[in-house]
Amino acid sequence: MIGEMKTYDVAVIGGGPAGLAAAIAASREGASVLLCEREARLGGILKQCIHDGFGVIRFGEKLSGPEYAHRYIEQLKETDVQVKRLCFVTRVTKEENSFVLELVSREGVERVRAGSLVLATGCRERTARQVAIHGTRPAGLLTAGNAQYYTNILGQMPARRCMILGSGDIGLIMARRLTLEGARVLGVYEAKPTPSGLSRNIAQCLHDFDIPLHLRHTVTRVFGSERLEAVEVAQVDERMQPIEGTKQLVECDALILSVGLIPENELAESLGVPLAADTKGPVCDQSYMTMVEGVYSCGNAMHVNDLVDYVSESGEAAGRAAARYTYAPRTFAGVQAGAGFLYAVPQKLDLAHPTQETVLYFRSKEDRGKTLVRVLADGREIFKKRYNQLRPPEMERLALELSNEDLVEGSVLRLEMEDA
Amino acid sequence: MRSINRINKRLNKEFGGAVHAAEERGCVVLNGRVSTWEEVVRAGVLAVDKKHNRGVINRVTATGQTVPPMRIPELKDETLEGRRPDVLVIGAGVTGCAIARELARYDLDILLVDKEHDVALHASSRNDGMVHPGIDLRKGSAKHHYNMRGNALYDEMCSELGVEFQRPGQYLCFTKAWMVPLLYLTLLYWKWLGIPGVEVVRAKELFRREPNLAKDIKVALYFPNAGIVCPYGLTIALAENAVENGVQLSLNTVVLGMKLQEDGIQSAQTNRGTVYPKVVVNAAGVFADAVARMADDQFYSIHPRRGTNSILDKKYTSVVLNTIAAKFGASPKSAHTKGGGIVRTVGGNLLIGPDAVETCERENFATRRESIQGTFAKHSQTSPALNEGEIITYFTGVRAPTYEEDFVVCKGVHCKNLVHAAGIQSPGLTAAPAIGADVARMAAELAFGREPTLKMDFKPTRVPIVCAAHLSAEARAALIAQNPDYGEILCRCEEVSRGEVLDALRRPVPCTTVDGVKRRVRPGMGRCQGGFCGPLVAQVIAGELDIPLDQVQKSGAGSNIVLGPTKGGEAG
C-alpha cells in the first residue's frame, strides 16, 4: 500500500510547459527530480492548442502547441527525471527541511519527500457565473478552453451557431477554429473599450474571417432550458453597466466565454504562500521562490503570461534555482510598479542569492502610445526603455544587470512610466 | 356565509369588484380578472380565513400574464399500461421519496412517478439544505408539528441511508444590547415550542466561536438543533433505498389526467400508459393543486415563490462562518421565508440566500442579478467578510406554498383514495421524514382497508457511494488496490475519481447525465465549475452507456453536450 518514502531533491507539480522546463532545468543541475502530472499525457494545455505561433522567441520558428510541447518532452526523455502521469497531488506538508507530498494514482497512495517544490499548476478559466451571467443554465454555455478541448482533443463540435463573450486569446483562436470547422461565429463581444487578446490574433482570427468584434458590449442574460437558444446582448456604459434600450436578442446554440484566466494556487495557499492581489499568483523573488522557503512558482500559476516562451523561461529559472536550493536565508529588496502598470513580477529581489541577470515582466494598465519606462534603484535611474506602444494584453520583458547597483536590504527597485 | 361576505368586502375594497369570492364545498373560490400577477396573489392572500374555511382556491387571472403550461416529457410509450399498484406516488422530490421509502415498509406494491428525468429536480435540489430548528413556526400549525418531528428524525434517517448530516447549530444575531434580558426570557418560549438546548450567547463568547460576524452584533440566540444536509443527496438516497425495497420508480412519467368513480380515483392517465392504483399520493410540489383538481379534491391553490441562493468557493468558508447565521431585522426583509442566511453546507461551501419573489412561472429556474445583489446586501450585515467575487455558482428554486402558508398533509376530503402532501415549502426538507411516515401510514390504511401489514424484510440501510477523498490514506490505498479507478482523479476541484463517477452510473436509481453525476458525486461542483472535468465525465458516461459522445446529455432531453463530429473527427 503506502510504501517506503522515496526522496527527491526537487518535486515539480504540473507537466505543462512551465513544469516541463522546470524539471529539465533542475535535472540538468544534477538534482534528482520528480514530475507529477494529473493528466494522462504531458504538455498541459498546449496539447489542445493546435494553432501555430508558439516558440517564436525560444526556437525562432512558429510551432503548434503540441509541437512545442514535444520539443520539451524529447528533452525530458534525455534526463533521469522520474515522471508520474495520471498522478494527483492531494496534499503537501512542509516539514523542517523538506516537503512531504501525498500522491494518488491508479497505483495507489504514495508519500514522497522533496527538498524543494516547484508549483507549475497553470491557470483556470473564469466561468459564466464568475462574470455574473444570469438566466437559465442550458448546455452550450462553456469556456473557450473547454470548447477547444471538445473540438481539438475529442473531435466534437461544441457549437454550430455561436457567439463569443470576451476577446481573450483563446476566444479569438476558437472563433477561427470553429469557423474553419463550419460553425457560424456570430461575433465576439467585449465589454471593455479595447480588445483583451493579442493584436496578431485580432487580425488573424477575426479580421481574416470577417468575424465582427463588438467592443463595449456584454451578454446580460441567456435563454433556453435544455440547449442554449438565445443570448441577450447590450451595450455597456463607462462603468460597464448595461445600457437600457440597447438590449438585443441573438439566437445561437452556444455562448463561448473568454473572460479571463485565474492562476491556480490552491496548493500554494495550503502551504501558506502569500499571493499578490494584482497577479493572483504568489509573491516571488527573481528566482521565483515564493515567500515560503523552498516553494517555487512559475508559468501561469505565478502570473498569466501572453506567450508560452516566457512560461518556459520562468519554469527553467525556477527549476534551476530549486535544484540549487540550500535553505540559506534570503535578504530582500522590493520591486514596485508605479502608476500605469497593471503589475510587475517578481515583486522581490533576493540579494543573498543574486542572479546573473534579473528578468522583470510587466503589463501596462491601459492601451498607450509612445511610452518611456524607467527603472529606479532607490530613486536613482538605472535603466530606461522607449516603447512605441504598450497594451495590457501584451506582456513586456526587461532583463537587467543589477550586480553593480549597490542594492541593500530594504532597497526599492521602482518601475515608472511616462508619455514619450 | 358571513365569512364570505367579509372576504368579498375586503376584495371589493382592493379590486373594486374585479375579484369575486364564493363558497364551494367549504372552500373560498376566487374568480375574476386583474392586471398583474402580484394582484392575483394579493387576492388569494386577502381571501384566507382559516377559522371558517378549508382553503382558498384562486382562479383569478391576470391580463397580459400568461401562465406557462406544465412542461411535459416528450417520451410516449406503454410501459405502465394496465399497471395496478397499491399506491401511486406522484412526485419524486424529497417528500415523495420519503413517502415512498416509508411505504416500502408495508407489504404493498408501490409505483413512484416523476415527470423529470431524475429525482429531486425541482425544489428538492434548489434550496439551502437547512434542517430548521423551527424558530418562526406557529404552534398548532402543520409546519410546526412536522418540522419538530422531522428534525428529531434526521440523525437516525441519515445514518441509515449513509447521508452526511451535521448539526452545526444556528445563530440568530441581535445588535441591541438591551435585548439581552429579553432573550433570556425567550428561552421559555423556545422550550414551549419544543426547540431543545437554546442558549443566549454574549458577544465575547459569540466572537470566540464565530470571529467574522459583524462587529455591531451584541448578542445571539444559538439553536443547537439546526442541521445541514445535501438536499438532493438525501432525496437520491431515499429514492435508492425505496427502490432497493421494491418500489418501482418511473421517471419521465407525467400524470396527465384521472378518471374518477364513486368518490375516488379509478385510473391515472400518464404518457406511459394508464395506471389503476388503489391509492394515490399527491406529492407533486408546485403542481400539487393541479393533481388535486384532477382528483376533484382541490381545496388549496399553489402560488409559486421563487428564491435564489449563491454558493461561494469553499476556500473562503473559514474566513466567514463555520455554522449557520442570520441577523435579526436585516433588510431587505421578505415575508414567508426563514429570512435566509449564511449556511455552511455539508460540501464545505458557504451558501447565501435565499430571497422570495412571487411568480406565476412554476418551472422558470432562471437566475437574476437583483437576487444576488439583494441577498448579499442583506447578509453581509451578518458577516461583512462576504464577497460577491467569491461566488462560484448560483441557482433558483420555486417554492410551492398555499395561501394558508401551511402544509397540507391529510387524506382526501372528497376523494376517498387520495392522500395529500401539498403546500410543502420551507421547512419541507426538515419535515420530510415525518411527513413521509404519516402519509405512508394514511396511504397504507387506505390501501389495506384495515390495519396495514408490515413487510418482514424491509432493509432501512443503504450503502452510499464511497467518497475516496474523505478516506484515510491507508483506506484509500486499499480501495485503489481493489479497483484502480478510484485512484484516477477526474475532478480536480472536488477530487472525484473515475471510480466514483462510474459508481454514480450504476446505482439503483439510474443516472445517465453529466448533471446527474454531479449531484451524486460532485464533479463540477467546484471552483472551475466543470471546465476541466466536464469532458472527462461525458466520456465516462459515453463509455459506460456505450453511446457516441454527441448523445451524452448535460441534463434533460435535448441538452446534448456536443453536436456531432468535427470535419475530420470520428463519431464518438
Side-chain angles (χ1 to χ4, degrees):
Chain A
M1 289 208 288
I2 299 168
E4 222 169 277
M5 209 189 289
K6 283 191 186 139
T7 299
Y8 300 89
D9 296 326
V10 179
V12 179
I13 302 177
L20 285 168
I24 292 164
S27 177
R28 285 181 182 162
E29 288 292 319
S32 61
V33 182
L34 170 69
L35 174 61
C36 301
E37 165 54 47
R38 57 186 156 200
E39 290 187 37
R41 288 160 58 210
L42 293 171
I45 225 71
L46 287 174
K47 296 193 294 290
Q48 66 190 56
C49 300
I50 63 172
H51 54 283
D52 74 351
F54 298 90
V56 177
I57 299 171
R58 287 246 121 187
F59 300 110
E61 54 185 311
K62 282 187 193 170
L63 304 173
S64 71
E67 284 171 329
Y68 186 95
H70 183 72
R71 297 220 172 167
Y72 281 88
I73 293 166
E74 288 300 306
Q75 288 178 43
L76 185 73
K77 282 182 187 160
E78 286 158 24
T79 66
D80 52 7
V81 172
Q82 167 81 40
V83 181
K84 286 183 186 285
R85 295 177 188 81
L86 278 184
C87 169
F88 193 86
V89 180
T90 52
R91 190 177 310 150
V92 181
T93 43
K94 187 168 169 36
E95 300 198 344
E96 199 167 336
N97 279 326
S98 66
F99 299 89
V100 174
L101 288 75
E102 188 176 275
L103 313 176
V104 168
S105 70
R106 296 183 68 90
E107 280 72 55
V109 183
E110 191 185 359
R111 288 200 183 108
V112 299
R113 190 183 293 282
S116 59
L117 205 59
V118 180
L119 301 177
T121 42
C123 56
R124 64 173 175 269
E125 296 175 279
R126 193 164 277 139
T127 67
R129 307 269 151 171
Q130 285 155 2
V131 292
I133 288 182
H134 283 277
T136 51
R137 46 203 299 183
L141 187 54
L142 69 174
T143 61
N146 204 206
Q148 194 175 43
Y149 186 94
Y150 282 120
T151 314
N152 294 346
I153 303 281
L154 300 181
Q156 289 285 329
M157 293 296 282
R160 295 276 181 216
R161 181 187 163 87
C162 67
M163 52 176 289
I164 295 177
L165 176 64
S167 55
D169 288 308
I170 321 168
L172 303 176
I173 297 286
M174 283 315 290
R176 175 177 65 184
R177 182 81 188 100
L178 288 169
T179 304
L180 290 171
E181 287 297 343
R184 175 98 200 279
V185 180
L186 301 167
V188 174
Y189 291 78
E190 169 61 62
K192 289 193 288 245
T194 53
S196 309
L198 295 171
S199 307
R200 73 171 197 213
N201 284 334
I202 300 285
Q204 294 168 10
C205 300
L206 300 188
H207 295 169
D208 290 0
F209 291 86
D210 293 327
I211 298 168
L213 171 64
H214 304 274
L215 297 171
R216 296 181 202 272
H217 275 77
T218 193
V219 169
T220 39
R221 263 193 301 174
V222 302
F223 301 88
S225 55
E226 300 300 339
R227 182 81 203 179
L228 187 83
E229 287 162 13
V231 301
E232 185 186 74
V233 295
Q235 226 172 303
V236 295
D237 60 22
E238 292 75 42
R239 295 173 303 118
M240 298 281 183
Q241 295 304 309
I243 302 171
E244 282 303 323
T246 65
K247 286 182 178 167
Q248 205 186 332
L249 215 57
V250 182
E251 278 181 38
C252 53
D253 61 20
L255 172 64
I256 293 172
L257 292 144
S258 182
V259 287
L261 300 169
I262 307 164
E264 284 231 289
N265 280 299
E266 280 67 34
L267 260 185
E269 286 176 284
S270 77
L271 287 163
V273 170
L275 304 185
D278 50 11
T279 58
K280 303 206 165 41
V283 174
C284 288
D285 66 23
Q286 78 277 24
S287 300
Y288 308 121
M289 200 201 295
T290 67
M291 292 303 103
V292 173
E293 292 294 317
V295 179
Y296 293 79
S297 176
C298 57
N300 283 349
M302 181 172 67
H303 67 126
V304 175
N305 291 249
D306 62 342
L307 299 178
V308 70
D309 310 69
Y310 297 131
V311 168
S312 299
E313 182 181 35
S314 67
E316 224 164 67
R320 201 160 45 226
R324 293 177 186 165
Y325 179 59
T326 58
Y327 276 80
R330 290 184 283 175
T331 313
F332 290 121
V335 177
Q336 284 178 2
F341 288 89
L342 193 61
Y343 68 77
V345 289
Q347 296 86 347
K348 302 273 180 190
L349 299 173
D350 172 16
L351 305 176
H353 301 84
T355 42
Q356 249 177 5
E357 60 171 17
T358 298
V359 175
L360 298 179
Y361 301 108
F362 72 86
R363 286 178 196 257
S364 72
K365 205 174 264 173
E366 282 161 353
D367 271 28
R368 302 174 62 101
K370 286 188 168 37
T371 304
L372 176 69
V373 171
R374 309 192 305 145
V375 181
L376 311 176
D378 292 326
R380 213 160 19 85
E381 180 176 301
I382 59 165
F383 180 89
K384 62 181 172 188
K385 186 172 177 183
R386 275 172 210 284
Y387 293 87
N388 278 331
Q389 64 165 3
L390 287 176
R391 295 187 58 229
E394 274 146 75
M395 206 175 81
E396 302 295 341
R397 174 186 186 274
L398 297 177
L400 304 179
E401 166 64 61
L402 294 177
S403 52
N404 302 322
E405 300 304 337
D406 298 329
L407 295 172
V408 294
E409 184 167 12
S411 284
V412 173
L413 204 65
R414 190 172 166 79
L415 276 75
E416 290 184 349
M417 65 166 73
E418 58 197 58
D419 292 340
Chain B
M1 220 43 233
R2 280 232 300 267
S3 160
I4 279 294
N5 292 341
R6 268 201 310 272
I7 290 167
N8 269 318
K9 221 169 167 181
R10 283 204 292 263
L11 291 168
N12 277 334
K13 202 174 151 195
E14 183 99 6
F15 301 106
V19 178
H20 180 74
E23 203 244 301
E24 270 177 38
R25 298 200 299 187
C27 298
V28 183
V29 179
L30 300 180
N31 278 292
R33 199 166 180 80
V34 291
S35 49
T36 66
W37 181 258
E38 287 67 34
E39 288 174 320
V40 172
V41 176
R42 177 82 186 129
V45 171
L46 285 175
V48 172
D49 178 0
K50 286 190 234 182
K51 226 182 226 166
H52 301 95
N53 295 293
R54 189 163 283 128
V56 174
I57 302 170
N58 191 349
R59 295 191 185 132
V60 177
T61 54
T63 323
Q65 183 92 69
T66 336
V67 176
M70 181 168 79
R71 289 172 52 196
I72 285 173
E74 275 173 30
L75 181 72
K76 268 200 181 87
D77 63 23
E78 296 290 317
T79 48
L80 296 177
E81 182 58 40
R83 178 98 167 71
R84 297 180 172 275
D86 293 315
V87 185
L88 167 68
V89 181
I90 305 172
V94 70
T95 308
C97 290
I99 293 167
R101 179 193 182 233
E102 288 299 319
L103 273 169
R105 293 178 193 269
Y106 301 100
D107 195 10
L108 291 170
D109 173 15
I110 301 140
L111 174 62
L112 169 63
V113 299
D114 196 287
K115 75 186 185 73
E116 304 296 338
H117 65 276
D118 199 354
V119 302
L121 283 192
H122 282 201
S124 302
S125 59
R126 300 170 175 278
N127 64 73
D128 63 8
M130 245 191 96
V131 175
H132 288 281
I135 300 172
D136 55 354
L137 301 174
R138 191 174 48 80
K139 201 162 179 173
S141 66
K143 274 188 185 174
H144 174 260
H145 172 77
Y146 284 110
N147 185 83
M148 302 324 291
R149 271 182 56 204
N151 184 307
L153 288 169
Y154 252 84
D155 305 81
E156 191 191 344
M157 174 182 65
C158 288
S159 114
E160 283 177 347
L161 294 173
V163 170
E164 192 168 2
F165 171 62
Q166 299 164 16
R167 289 192 190 270
Q170 177 182 8
Y171 292 98
L172 184 58
C173 304
F174 299 83
T175 51
K176 307 277 186 267
W178 56 262
M179 290 198 72
V180 173
L182 289 178
L183 294 182
Y184 278 103
L185 283 176
T186 64
L187 295 181
L188 288 168
Y189 173 69
W190 307 121
K191 205 165 183 184
W192 177 73
L193 270 186
I195 307 176
V198 184
E199 47 172 324
V200 176
V201 184
R202 307 292 289 267
K204 196 174 167 195
E205 171 64 10
L206 180 64
F207 286 102
R208 192 188 63 76
R209 296 190 200 172
E210 287 292 359
N212 303 302
L213 289 172
K215 294 299 167 227
D216 64 342
I217 291 171
K218 300 289 189 298
V219 60
L221 283 169
Y222 179 64
F223 299 86
N225 69 333
I228 47 172
V229 72
C230 169
Y232 41 90
L234 172 64
T235 308
I236 291 164
L238 287 163
E240 287 185 353
N241 188 240
V243 168
E244 283 174 323
N245 283 291
V247 170
Q248 182 190 358
L249 170 64
S250 183
L251 295 166
N252 295 305
T253 305
V254 62
V255 175
L256 298 162
M258 287 178 185
K259 205 166 185 181
L260 307 178
Q261 59 170 23
E262 304 162 33
D263 311 328
I265 300 159
Q266 183 241 0
S267 63
Q269 288 82 54
T270 78
N271 56 325
R272 316 189 69 176
T274 301
V275 180
Y276 301 81
K278 267 192 203 161
V279 180
V280 173
V281 171
N282 175 10
V286 287
F287 294 107
D289 54 350
V291 169
R293 195 168 186 174
M294 286 178 203
D296 192 28
D297 199 43
Q298 190 187 352
F299 51 92
Y300 50 84
S301 280
I302 304 293
H303 58 110
R305 195 156 49 216
R306 190 175 73 218
T308 299
N309 287 296
S310 315
I311 305 268
L312 306 194
D313 189 329
K314 62 170 89 170
K315 69 181 174 187
Y316 301 110
T317 301
S318 61
V319 300
V320 181
L321 194 78
N322 299 301
T323 53
I324 306 169
K327 192 166 171 180
F328 183 78
S331 58
K333 258 191 261 183
S334 45
H336 305 308
T337 68
K338 299 283 141 296
I342 310 173
V343 180
R344 197 252 303 154
T345 69
V346 280
N349 304 84
L350 280 183
L351 178 150
I352 316 300
D355 59 347
V357 183
E358 296 290 341
T359 170
C360 67
E361 297 175 292
R362 296 174 187 225
E363 297 177 279
N364 184 349
F365 303 121
T367 56
R368 292 161 198 243
R369 202 160 177 203
E370 312 88 82
S371 296
I372 310 290
Q373 289 167 338
T375 49
F376 268 76
K378 179 172 177 177
H379 299 301
S380 51
Q381 295 168 50
T382 307
S383 177
L386 278 191
N387 179 354
E388 268 189 70
E390 290 152 10
I391 291 179
I392 57 172
T393 191
Y394 30 78
F395 58 89
T396 292
V398 181
R399 306 171 181 90
T402 63
Y403 286 101
E404 291 70 40
E405 299 290 346
D406 202 1
F407 298 159
V408 178
V409 181
C410 60
K411 290 181 185 170
V413 177
H414 312 288
C415 177
K416 66 179 184 195
N417 59 347
L418 177 68
V419 183
H420 296 276
I424 310 293
Q425 54 167 328
S426 177
L429 178 66
T430 316
I435 294 177
D438 274 18
V439 170
R441 172 85 199 177
M442 292 178 214
E445 281 168 5
L446 290 173
F448 281 98
R450 55 172 167 85
E451 184 62 17
T453 320
L454 286 166
K455 226 162 36 191
M456 297 316 291
D457 57 349
F458 177 76
K459 192 176 134 266
T461 55
R462 162 190 173 264
V463 180
I465 299 175
V466 67
C467 180
H470 289 181
L471 297 175
S472 68
E474 289 69 23
R476 194 174 192 175
L479 183 70
I480 298 169
Q482 264 176 29
N483 180 353
D485 284 341
Y486 291 110
E488 188 182 331
I489 307 294
L490 298 187
C491 165
R492 53 181 74 174
C493 305
E494 295 291 318
E495 223 178 290
V496 184
S497 67
R498 176 185 291 275
E500 289 155 86
V501 172
L502 282 166
D503 282 346
L505 302 171
R506 296 170 180 168
R507 299 290 293 183
V509 172
C511 148
T512 56
T513 65
V514 174
D515 283 357
V517 171
K518 175 174 164 182
R519 282 189 294 274
R520 283 160 177 82
V521 289
R522 292 183 65 83
M525 289 277 187
R527 56 183 67 92
C528 91
Q529 286 288 294
F532 290 113
C533 66
L536 305 179
V537 171
Q539 285 177 87
V540 176
I541 293 173
E544 176 71 8
L545 303 183
D546 197 19
I547 53 173
L549 197 64
D550 58 18
Q551 296 303 308
V552 175
Q553 312 276 317
K554 173 182 186 284
S555 183
S559 66
N560 304 48
I561 297 272
V562 286
L563 305 174
T566 54
K567 285 175 179 170
E570 287 170 37

